[in-house]
Amino acid sequence: MEQIKGTIRSIRYTNSRNGYTVCDIKTENNAHVTLVGIMPMLVEGENIVATGEYVSHPDYGRQFKVEQCERNIPTLEEEIIQYLSSGFIKGLGKATAKNIVEKFKDKTFEIFQFEPIRLAEVKGITPGKALIFGQAFIEHENMRSIIMFMQKYGVSSDIAAKIWKKFGNYAENEVKQNPYRLAEPDIGLDFSVCDRIALSQGIDPNSLERLKSALLYVLSSETAKGHTYLPKIDLIRLGAKLVRVPEELLDNAFDALLLEESIFVEKQYPDRVYSEEMIRAERCIARKLAGSNLKRDDYWVKELELLIKDYESEHGVYLDSIQKEAIKCALTNRVCIITGGPGTGKTTIIKTLIEIFGSKGLLVILAAPTGRAAKRVSETSGYEARTIHRLLEVGYSIEDNEKPYFMRNEDNPLLADVIIIDEASMIDIVMMEALMRAFPREAGLILVGDSDQLPSVGPGKVLSDIIESKAFPVVKLKTIFRQNEESNIITNAHLINQGKMPAMNEEEGDFFFIPKLRGKELINCIIGLCTNHIPERFGIDPKDIQVISPMRKGDTGVLNLNCVLQQVLNPEREDKPQKMFGNTIFRLGDRVMQIRNDYAMPWTIIDQDGSVSEGLGVYNGDMGIIIDIDLKSELVTVRFDDNRVCEYRFDSLENLEHAFAITVHKSQGTEFPAVIIPLLGVPKSLACRNLLYTAVTRAKKLVVLVGSPAIMEEMIKNTNERERYSGLKERLM
């Protein structure tokens, strides 16, 4: 490692989120050097000491790659003037900065920090402006101080900025007093980092604050894995393991959290430990559903047989007995669940219900949990479907756009007589609570979905809990209707769901298994399938082929597959602009996915007639194509599958990842013409039947599994999916 000292002359680029900066400095011996690396909040005129090494960039030549950067306050008058006029104090230009420095000399920074009103002694600065300048200076120094402090522990500048936003000018003191506050959801720092900061500040390893924070962190982490509560014995055990103390020491911390109402238990279930958000959601859903669980008393309910017969005659369709049972159930009950696998007629039932309810003057709303699911049911049913977020008119707080709020709620309920939710297995406990709070009194709710698919990505298992409670009418569809005689996909999906081996590798079939037991062979096979074999044999465009992997990591996980597939399906070319972000290259034409909810992201849709619609919100799992990269404006433009077009600043590309390959969980609620599923190195926790079943049911025309026959057989036999702790079922019983 080398060390160089110098003064910052210009800043070419800085990423405000992660602190990555490219700048030029003038060294002590008057040499000019370009520095690159994590150097947050640098300002022209500062003196710095940088530690790192010289590297050679293929386009930009010799640079100094910075591993560590220390700042020194400018001392020369020229440097102080450049520093103050660099832009972080709005309204303070070079001429004014020069006048200030001429007046106060080497006391300038002290004046800004401790006596800002004295800046009014300089001609042209009013007392009000003097105080504004002083406040801006103090805020900048304090924010930079917390960023530098957190950088010592490997915390990025965007997280440090969140900390400063929460605690303001006292951020560093607040962090030093109780670093564990940073593990709370609004900051979301890993407990191990908080613990390292705390212990370095001399906090007692057995302190109550440390042990309380450990329990809260464990509870929050387990919620992120899908649980709505955690058994007390597990919470104590995991907490003790996290902080490496005997379990009995955590009892006092547990009791303290109860008294503070940071955690909750109930008399009837004293061993179940909830967060406030989770217990509130379960209670709300149970109360609202129970209050809606009534029979319809409309006069036309007595005419169901005739209504169904007229519908069949008018539309030229035949409904079998179980479909009629489902329709009658939905028409006669305020709450009804219709479940069934692929091809069992769920869409036909949705269309029938919308028609019959509409004929009786009832307003029906059709919705789904995600944009892809809403688009799919719109295309198959012929009726407009909205996402639940759009249905509830999601908004966001300017102060914290991580936390959405909904315009539709108990005080402003939805305007509907019947609400039909498709792909209901994807609804998590938080989304269901928001829906039920906006649910109109006297309205009907029909949940349609496949209860055998994976549960929601978010916490809870809402659909299966409602079904298993046996408190509501449920119709399970079994007859397969949507089945082409030449196709095995739907038949095989049902065989897998029954624990049986699928029929594969028929000469003219659409369901294949290719044995590959080595990672490199498997990857080469997938490349060949995407680029040659499937397009040539089946006439399916490579962009309509989706690789769906059980996991993210490993040779056959989506992280590695995306790197490989990008090189093959969208290789680098001179006419394709690209942007490097971290270790990821985003290129024109790449398939990408939004990986977190962003309620503030603007979008536009240009319809075929040229009309433009606008809105806000892009959600976790939305997929699209990069249609433009503007290197000058530093913008990446993405067109999503539902034709929404969004612009991403370069410093917000952390919200995107490649989607040449996606996980099974992320694939829920949509279909692709062809699906390739790698089965090699699948962890035990993911080698279960419903995961394979969910992956297979994503395909419309072709399924190709590649990998180990033993793993496929293990997945088909294994019904022991990862247990989710959820109390909704018991609340509904």
Side-chain angles (χ1 to χ4, degrees), residues 307-564:
L307 289 172
I308 293 172
K309 188 175 181 181
D310 287 347
Y311 177 85
E312 288 180 306
S313 175
E314 183 178 345
H315 293 83
V317 299
Y318 168 77
L319 301 169
D320 82 338
S321 59
I322 197 163
Q323 286 180 307
K324 290 178 181 177
E325 180 188 343
I327 292 165
K328 290 176 184 177
C329 179
L331 292 173
T332 55
N333 293 281
R334 297 284 181 185
V335 178
C336 172
I337 296 87
I338 300 170
T339 182
T344 54
K346 296 189 295 295
T347 302
T348 299
I349 290 169
I350 288 173
K351 291 163 66 175
T352 305
L353 289 172
I354 292 174
E355 286 277 342
I356 293 177
F357 278 125
S359 71
K360 297 304 175 183
L362 299 183
L363 177 61
V364 182
I365 288 178
L366 179 60
T370 67
R372 285 177 292 150
K375 181 184 178 185
R376 178 185 170 195
V377 71
S378 293
E379 292 171 346
T380 55
S381 70
Y383 294 94
E384 181 192 4
R386 285 176 275 175
T387 65
I388 295 176
H389 283 100
R390 287 184 67 188
L391 180 66
L392 299 179
E393 299 175 25
V394 66
Y396 68 96
S397 167
I398 294 175
E399 289 76 25
D400 184 4
N401 69 9
E402 296 292 320
K403 291 185 179 179
Y405 65 87
F406 297 99
M407 300 296 291
R408 294 292 180 177
N409 50 40
E410 287 161 317
D411 297 323
N412 182 30
L414 292 164
L415 301 175
D417 298 305
V418 181
I419 298 174
I420 301 175
I421 305 294
D422 193 29
E423 295 289 355
S425 63
M426 299 177 67
I427 302 178
D428 64 34
I429 198 84
V430 177
M431 188 183 293
M432 189 66 180
E433 180 198 12
L435 178 64
M436 296 314 299
R437 288 194 182 280
F439 193 70
R441 188 176 295 177
E442 306 297 327
L445 176 66
I446 302 167
L447 299 177
V448 182
D450 186 347
S451 58
D452 294 320
Q453 286 190 24
L454 289 170
S456 59
V457 175
K461 43 178 183 173
V462 173
L463 183 63
S464 62
D465 274 352
I466 294 173
I467 293 171
E468 291 172 16
S469 73
K470 295 184 167 47
F472 303 89
V474 178
V475 178
K476 186 171 180 64
L477 307 172
K478 297 177 181 177
T479 308
I480 301 175
F481 295 96
R482 181 167 54 89
Q483 176 60 51
N484 187 312
E485 288 183 5
E486 291 82 30
S487 175
N488 282 326
I489 295 175
I490 291 176
T491 301
N492 281 340
H494 285 273
L495 287 173
I496 289 170
N497 200 32
Q498 295 162 16
K500 300 175 182 177
M501 293 296 290
M504 302 175 295
N505 298 341
E506 296 175 0
E507 184 64 31
E508 299 299 322
D510 58 2
F511 200 105
F512 297 89
F513 187 94
I514 303 173
K516 297 289 179 185
L517 299 180
R518 296 179 182 274
K520 191 170 183 180
E521 290 180 358
L522 186 148
I523 290 171
N524 288 335
C525 179
I526 289 176
I527 291 171
L529 288 167
C530 290
T531 56
N532 297 313
H533 305 318
I534 292 177
E536 290 175 5
R537 178 170 175 180
F538 298 94
I540 298 175
D541 194 297
K543 67 180 176 58
D544 293 325
I545 303 169
Q546 183 62 57
V547 178
I548 301 179
S549 175
M551 61 271 190
R552 287 183 61 79
K553 298 179 181 179
D555 289 345
T556 58
V558 297
L559 297 178
N560 185 55
L561 287 173
N562 271 318
C563 292
V564 172

Side-chain angles (χ1 to χ4, degrees), residues 115-120 125-136:
E115 298 180 274
I117 193 65
R118 289 193 60 195
L119 294 172
I125 300 179
T126 64
K129 188 174 285 188
L131 293 175
I132 291 172
F133 285 171
Q135 180 66 21

Side-chain angles (χ1 to χ4, degrees), residues 247-316:
E247 291 184 14
E248 53 267 23
L249 290 182
L250 288 163
D251 289 336
N252 286 339
F254 183 88
D255 292 339
L257 290 171
L258 280 177
L259 287 172
E260 296 168 7
E261 295 190 335
S262 297
I263 59 174
F264 296 83
V265 298
E266 298 169 296
K267 287 183 179 179
Q268 65 269 43
Y269 302 113
D271 63 326
R272 297 180 178 181
V273 186
Y274 284 90
S275 67
E276 181 182 10
E277 182 184 29
M278 293 296 103
I279 198 168
R280 184 191 66 227
E282 282 194 359
R283 287 172 173 173
C284 172
I285 294 166
R287 183 180 72 253
K288 291 278 192 173
L289 283 176
S292 301
N293 194 16
L294 302 168
K295 291 282 186 181
R296 283 191 174 276
D297 56 6
D298 304 78
Y299 72 91
W300 48 263
V301 171
K302 299 175 183 178
E303 308 169 359
L304 293 187
E305 292 288 352
L306 182 59
L307 289 172
I308 293 172
K309 188 175 181 181
D310 287 347
Y311 177 85
E312 288 180 306
S313 175
E314 183 178 345
H315 293 83

Side-chain angles (χ1 to χ4, degrees), residues 90-103:
K90 291 183 179 178
L92 202 163
K94 195 163 187 176
T96 304
K98 184 177 180 181
N99 292 338
I100 292 172
V101 174
E102 286 178 353
K103 171 73 176 176

